[in-house]
Amino acid sequence: MSHSSSSAASARSAASRLQDNHAFQLAARTGFAVNGLLHLLIGGIALGVAFGSGGEADQGGALSGLASSPGGVFVLWVVAIGLFALGLFQVLEAFLVRGTDKDAWADRAKEGGKAIAYLAIGFSAASVAMGSGSDSSGQTQGITATLLSTPGGVFLVVLLGLGVLAVGVYFIVKGVKKKFLQDISAPDGKTGRSITTLGRIGYIAKGVAISVVGILFCAAAITSDPSEATGLDGALKTLVELPLGPVILTVVALGLMAYGVYCFARAKYARL
């Protein structure tokens, strides 16, 4: 065995041992649980928007809501640590994928994308816990404006929009085909059926919301108007403007809350 292959095998072994560490697995499961809490809060805010109240229906709004609650700073640090652990777990998942073919790289990209998402929300939670605000919509508009002002920026924003739309479609397909069951060891009987139902509803609803975010990025590129790209909050508020919008947003909001409950189940039954 060459030195490089020996080093790679040693690194894989170390990564695998870290993944198998009980404390690390507990922290990762905590990450799934706090992700569920955030989705319950986002769904609750979206439900309020559907019935005419205000609020920022995204991670920023959920984190700000936690910050203003009793013991909120402590909860935010638990959220941050749990999501950091979950993000690191996904980094290890990407690192441990074997092979060099197209499917292997697709798996690495998928696990890496999850890692970036969890770590980003974790950093947001830590930022809010330390007293900084979290205006997700404003940040999204700022990033979009920066991209649009660069050479080829419209193309980049369209690519970003299509990428986000692809993630949304992935969630919908994962829900429809029940592929999320590959991630958990669901029990038999009524509990297992309930988890499956929550997962299907939750993944489809989250996929719809993410897909709208992607469409809004594309609209921002086509119109060269960064204000069109408002992230999840703007996407959900766009739904309410459609015919039967409050009904549609109510269904999506309840679906996001179902996804949140599913995440709590995943915290217990996840295959780690």
Side-chain angles (χ1 to χ4, degrees):
M1 184 182 289
S2 69
H3 177 71
S4 60
S5 59
S6 176
S7 298
S10 177
R12 285 182 185 279
S13 177
S16 183
R17 284 198 303 273
L18 179 56
Q19 271 200 330
D20 291 338
N21 179 272
H22 179 71
F24 184 62
Q25 288 194 356
L26 180 61
R29 289 184 189 278
T30 301
F32 284 123
V34 298
N35 192 36
L37 173 62
L38 292 179
H39 278 85
L40 281 174
L41 292 171
I42 293 167
I45 296 168
L47 202 56
V49 171
F51 285 93
S53 66
E56 189 180 354
D58 56 13
Q59 283 89 355
L63 294 171
S64 298
L66 282 176
S68 61
S69 63
V73 173
F74 172 75
V75 176
L76 282 170
W77 279 115
V78 172
V79 169
I81 292 168
L83 290 171
F84 287 150
L86 194 51
L88 179 55
F89 189 88
Q90 297 299 157
V91 169
L92 295 175
E93 283 284 285
F95 180 72
L96 290 171
V97 172
R98 293 185 177 276
T100 56
D101 60 4
K102 184 174 67 175
D103 289 342
W105 284 107
D107 285 342
R108 287 190 187 94
K110 183 175 69 176
E111 300 302 336
K114 290 179 189 176
I116 292 168
Y118 289 135
L119 290 172
I121 303 170
F123 277 115
S124 293
S127 176
V128 175
M130 289 187 289
S132 300
S134 182
D135 180 5
S136 303
S137 296
Q139 291 170 359
T140 303
Q141 289 174 350
I143 292 168
T144 307
T146 301
L147 286 174
L148 286 174
S149 66
T150 61
V154 171
F155 177 70
L156 290 175
V157 175
V158 168
L159 276 183
L160 178 60
L162 291 175
V164 173
L165 182 59
V167 172
V169 172
Y170 165 78
F171 268 85
I172 292 171
V173 171
K174 190 168 183 175
V176 170
K177 294 188 174 182
K178 297 189 285 189
K179 289 189 173 184
F180 56 87
L181 292 175
Q182 298 169 2
D183 303 327
I184 60 175
S185 299
D188 295 327
K190 187 176 180 180
T191 301
R193 289 194 297 272
S194 298
I195 291 172
T196 300
T197 300
L198 287 167
R200 290 193 83 177
I201 294 170
Y203 269 93
I204 292 170
K206 186 171 171 70
V208 168
I210 294 173
S211 296
V212 177
V213 174
I215 291 168
L216 291 178
F217 270 117
C218 292
I222 293 167
T223 61
S224 296
D225 182 3
S227 67
E228 293 284 348
T230 51
L232 182 59
D233 177 58
L236 294 174
K237 288 174 180 173
T238 297
L239 289 177
V240 85
E241 296 171 5
L242 298 172
L244 298 176
V247 175
I248 295 170
L249 182 55
T250 297
V251 171
V252 172
L254 292 173
L256 290 172
M257 295 174 82
Y259 183 81
V261 178
Y262 165 78
C263 286
F264 282 110
R266 187 175 181 183
K268 181 176 181 179
Y269 297 111
R271 290 176 177 166
L272 298 179

